[in-house]
Amino acid sequence: MASDLKLRCVVLLLYTCLLCILATDSKVKPKVKKDIRDYNDADMARLLEQWEEDDDIEEGDLPEHKRSSPPIDFSKVDPSKPEDLLKMSKKGRTLMVFASVSGDPTEKETEEITGLWQGSLFNANFDVQRFVVGSNRVIFMLRDGSLAWEVKDYLVAQERCMDVTVEGQVFPGKAAKKDDGKHKQQNEVNTKKNNHNETNT
């Protein structure tokens, strides 16, 4: 009698499992082929997802943040020049270079001056985009960050360039060097006047 009860329990358990399996299979709807003209936005989104899953995207087509960085050969890096290491690490990466125009230019003047700088860089085969972000401030965006230091060297040599910022480092431009000379002369004159006034009183 006990074995008969065990047999019934096992059969009941198997029957229950079979019903569960059949119930889950009936919930999965067979895919019905739709005419492409009847697709709505959701169907198109699903189709795009399927294509992206099946598509092997090449490294160059990936967004920059998903690309692997190129390996750096430290045997070619001169330890006395940390700038070379930065150049190698920024190769193929987008980098922004900030520059300030000297004097008190209007935004239109800044646009004209930096447009000339961009044209010169373009003629020297530098792929540079320019964005004016203030009355005297501009951003130069480079697709290949390893070229940023050459662009910086060009910019700091320009008459109206106050300073250039690359990777958080500020490099004074030609105009800043002239202004430093004026400020030093002005400070010397003010010091002499103060000393002269103190001796007279």
Side-chain angles (χ1 to χ4, degrees):
M1 178 110 166
S3 64
D4 190 37
L5 185 60
K6 286 182 183 178
L7 182 62
R8 284 184 184 178
C9 285
V10 169
V11 169
L12 184 61
L13 185 61
L14 288 174
Y15 183 69
T16 306
C17 289
L18 183 64
L19 282 176
C20 289
I21 292 171
L22 290 175
T24 55
D25 285 345
S26 65
K27 288 181 184 176
V28 176
K29 296 179 182 177
K31 291 187 179 181
V32 178
K33 296 250 179 179
K34 259 185 169 179
D35 189 352
I36 190 77
R37 293 171 289 188
D38 297 331
Y39 276 26
N40 58 23
D41 289 342
D43 294 329
M44 293 303 275
R46 257 187 263 114
L47 183 62
L48 180 62
E49 286 175 12
Q50 288 175 354
W51 281 343
E52 288 177 350
E53 287 173 8
D54 297 338
D55 196 16
D56 292 330
I57 300 173
E58 292 181 24
E59 177 93 13
D61 294 336
L62 286 172
E64 186 174 317
H65 66 280
K66 290 187 177 181
R67 285 185 230 150
S68 60
S69 55
I72 298 173
D73 185 7
F74 288 102
S75 64
K76 295 180 180 178
V77 177
D78 184 4
S80 64
K81 296 180 182 176
E83 201 171 276
D84 290 347
L85 179 63
L86 280 171
K87 284 180 185 179
M88 288 179 147
S89 67
K90 299 300 176 184
K91 181 118 179 102
R93 300 278 183 189
T94 301
L95 189 79
M96 289 186 271
V97 176
F98 297 84
S100 297
V101 179
S102 67
D104 193 17
T106 63
E107 202 163 318
K108 185 173 176 129
E109 288 174 326
T110 300
E111 183 86 33
E112 290 172 3
I113 293 165
T114 57
L116 293 172
W117 297 349
Q118 182 187 19
S120 296
L121 289 167
F122 181 77
N123 288 338
N125 292 324
F126 288 100
D127 182 20
V128 177
Q129 289 181 317
R130 176 181 47 97
F131 305 97
V132 177
V133 292
S135 62
N136 71 334
R137 195 90 167 133
V138 68
I139 297 173
F140 290 100
M141 190 174 80
L142 297 123
R143 297 275 179 227
D144 184 3
S146 65
L147 302 173
W149 286 265
E150 292 176 50
V151 170
K152 180 264 307 178
D153 291 339
Y154 168 76
L155 292 173
V156 296
Q158 301 307 304
E159 290 290 328
R160 294 286 309 268
C161 182
M162 180 64 86
D163 61 52
V164 177
T165 306
V166 180
E167 286 291 293
Q169 288 183 298
V170 179
F171 302 94
K174 206 171 191 180
K177 293 171 186 166
K178 286 181 181 178
D179 283 350
D180 284 345
K182 289 178 185 176
H183 288 303
K184 286 179 184 174
Q185 289 175 351
Q186 186 67 31
N187 288 339
E188 289 174 10
V189 170
N190 288 341
T191 306
K192 288 178 183 176
K193 282 182 183 178
N194 288 340
N195 290 339
H196 181 67
N197 289 340
E198 288 175 6
T199 56
N200 288 342
T201 56

